[in-house]
Amino acid sequence: MEVDLCFVMDCTSSMGSHIEGAKSSIKKVVDYMANMKPAIVVRVGFCGYRDHCDGSDRLQIIEFTTSCDEFKNNVSNVSALGGGDDPEDVLGGLNAAVTSMAWRNPTRVLLHIADCPPHGRRFTNMSDTYPDGDPNGLTAEQVLREMRSADIYYFFGKITEYTETMTRVFQSIIGEYPVFDIKNTPDPEELVEKFFDATCSAINTAITLRGE
């Protein structure tokens, strides 16, 4: 069985403690999946996003690989930085993961981890430089339907209550999807375990949905 697993993560400054937990969890998941061979062969990738004010740091993509050591080394270089207002370039990050990465395997899992919503009044009443929505013209409908047409299963790791409206909007477009509650986890080891459990659950759910 072959699986593409992509982590899409808000990598702005507010995510500092969670990024470290997620990085530790990602490494743990990669090691776990490596030990599952040949039952499950996982290509793992990463797409970090920040905000429109962050220039060349707005997106940070680590392409899919089956090399655990290569991926772990690359993800170790991901840092929490940047971000301007409260919302972030969520749609840009998801769009890059869906359209710019080389998805190949039949079972495709995207695990999105974030603490803030996309830009636009549709998603939030927080202070927003782009209250009319994504400045590049991306819409949730466009991004999520492209994801669905590519047979990518979407899962969300919820860190704060600020993403609840985003979840409702997203589910109105593509239907119900699993939301993993990662918030209120101050203990680093517990945070790693929550990320690990969410990732393994996402993979198993996607495999079940495909009937493999």
Side-chain angles (χ1 to χ4, degrees):
M1 187 176 303
E2 297 175 328
V3 177
D4 282 346
L5 168 64
C6 181
F7 294 92
V8 178
M9 188 178 303
D10 178 344
C11 292
T12 55
S13 298
S14 65
M15 284 284 291
S17 61
H18 288 92
I19 282 182
E20 292 308 311
K23 284 161 62 174
S24 297
S25 175
I26 288 169
K27 294 174 184 178
K28 183 176 179 180
V29 168
V30 170
D31 286 337
Y32 173 77
M33 290 301 165
N35 292 329
M36 292 290 289
K37 291 180 180 178
I40 300 177
V41 178
V42 178
R43 296 169 70 237
V44 62
F46 179 91
C47 180
Y49 63 87
R50 297 182 177 90
D51 208 355
H52 298 281
C53 62
D54 293 314
S56 60
D57 291 324
R58 183 175 67 90
L59 297 173
Q60 187 170 1
I61 293 176
I62 300 172
E63 191 52 84
F64 289 110
T65 179
T66 55
S67 170
C68 297
D69 290 337
E70 176 186 350
F71 184 80
K72 287 189 291 184
N73 287 337
N74 287 335
V75 84
S76 294
N77 295 322
V78 176
S79 300
L81 57 90
D85 51 8
D86 294 322
E88 311 297 358
D89 186 20
V90 175
L91 297 182
L94 291 174
N95 185 64
V98 171
T99 64
S100 298
M101 298 186 68
W103 298 85
R104 186 181 70 198
N105 285 330
T107 301
R108 302 173 178 185
V109 178
L110 188 156
L111 177 56
H112 178 201
I113 303 164
D115 65 345
C116 285
H119 289 282
R121 297 187 191 92
R122 181 184 190 186
F123 299 104
T124 182
N125 291 321
M126 303 165 79
S127 175
D128 192 348
T129 305
Y130 305 104
D132 294 329
D134 184 271
N136 295 320
L138 286 175
T139 66
E141 284 81 1
Q142 173 188 348
V143 173
L144 295 174
R145 287 170 182 162
E146 182 74 22
M147 184 188 300
R148 179 58 57 84
S149 69
D151 293 326
I152 298 170
Y153 292 102
Y154 178 76
F155 301 84
F156 182 62
K158 174 184 175 182
I159 293 177
T160 69
E161 303 296 330
Y162 300 128
T163 55
E164 286 193 351
T165 299
M166 178 192 79
T167 296
R168 288 196 296 270
V169 172
F170 281 14
Q171 290 183 335
S172 73
I173 298 169
I174 57 172
E176 296 291 320
Y177 54 79
V179 176
F180 303 110
D181 192 346
I182 306 174
K183 67 181 187 299
N184 300 324
T185 312
D187 180 69
E189 291 186 6
E190 184 182 355
L191 182 62
V192 170
E193 287 303 315
K194 279 195 172 184
F195 277 124
F196 177 76
D197 290 345
T199 304
C200 292
S201 177
I203 292 172
N204 290 331
T205 299
I207 290 172
T208 300
L209 289 172
R210 282 195 60 85
E212 297 186 8

